[in-house]
Amino acid sequence: MDEKDLEILRILEDNSRLSAQEIGMMTCLTTVETESRIQALETAGVIRKYSAVINWELAGNGEVSSIIELKVSPERDYGYDRIAERLSRFRQVKSLRLMTGTYDLQLLVTGRNMQEVSRFVSEHVAPMDRIRETATHIIMKSYKENGNMLFEQQETERLPYSF
């Protein structure tokens, strides 16, 4: 992977809907070179998936998102990997990360309402072997997701100027 590949990745991360021709113009590559590099990055697993960043508040789906923090006893020879694999299989779990600090794992979980999220944590997550403690934080409002602002920036009103 070279600087051009990294440049292509940054462009795609910002807007994956750009055509190979547009990306090529931005990186000073031909369309064929750009397509070839993107294909190689997809084949190597560097590009895993293309997705949209959606402002669910504006879409009006009414889902609740929560951050669930877990203290976990790691397994001998496997560390946190097997518990993380089990947790990642739940459709409610949108993101799962190993963290430094007080808690070991952080999950981003969605549900139709707070009761559904609470039930998911109490019935599926907390009872799992090796989970020692949970902390649930309801996300009240998202302002930025994956580098994308989710609110409309208001234009500043210019005040009239006179002498």
Side-chain angles (χ1 to χ4, degrees):
M1 188 171 330
D2 62 12
E3 276 302 315
K4 290 289 183 186
D5 287 337
L6 293 173
E7 192 175 358
I8 289 169
L9 291 173
R10 285 186 202 98
I11 292 167
L12 287 171
E13 186 177 44
D14 186 50
N15 183 355
S16 63
R17 293 194 58 162
L18 292 174
S19 69
Q21 181 181 9
E22 292 170 311
I23 295 169
M25 287 191 305
M26 296 167 79
T27 58
C28 299
L29 295 170
T30 67
T31 302
V32 173
E33 288 174 313
T34 304
E35 288 170 343
S36 175
R37 285 174 177 261
I38 292 171
Q39 178 63 46
L41 291 165
E42 290 171 346
T43 302
V46 174
I47 297 174
R48 305 290 301 239
K49 180 180 171 180
Y50 296 92
S51 63
V53 176
I54 299 167
N55 185 337
W56 287 109
E57 288 179 35
L58 289 179
N61 79 332
E63 277 197 346
V64 171
S65 296
S66 301
I67 294 172
I68 315 297
E69 296 176 315
L70 307 175
K71 286 187 181 177
V72 179
S73 298
E75 285 184 76
R76 182 182 196 100
D77 298 327
Y78 296 102
Y80 300 98
D81 293 346
R82 289 215 293 199
I83 189 93
E85 184 181 336
R86 284 182 28 215
L87 288 164
S88 67
R89 290 184 187 146
F90 289 103
R91 68 167 177 73
Q92 296 92 332
V93 177
K94 303 302 178 193
S95 298
L96 173 58
R97 298 176 178 95
L98 179 63
M99 307 292 290
T100 61
T102 306
Y103 291 90
D104 304 305
L105 296 176
Q106 182 192 68
L107 290 74
L108 176 63
V109 172
T110 61
R112 287 187 300 242
N113 52 46
M114 288 192 300
Q115 291 78 17
E116 187 176 281
V117 171
S118 175
R119 195 169 35 259
F120 171 71
V121 173
S122 64
E123 292 176 6
H124 297 286
V125 177
M128 290 177 92
D129 289 341
R130 307 222 168 265
I131 303 290
R132 296 179 310 167
E133 185 178 325
T134 68
T136 302
H137 309 277
I138 302 296
I139 297 174
M140 296 171 57
K141 183 173 184 158
S142 292
Y143 295 101
K144 190 173 184 178
E145 290 287 339
N146 298 327
N148 297 287
M149 302 267 205
L150 297 180
F151 56 92
E152 300 295 321
Q153 290 186 310
Q154 297 175 355
E155 291 185 32
T156 55
E157 185 179 326
R158 291 188 67 177
L159 297 174
Y161 179 78
S162 63
F163 283 97

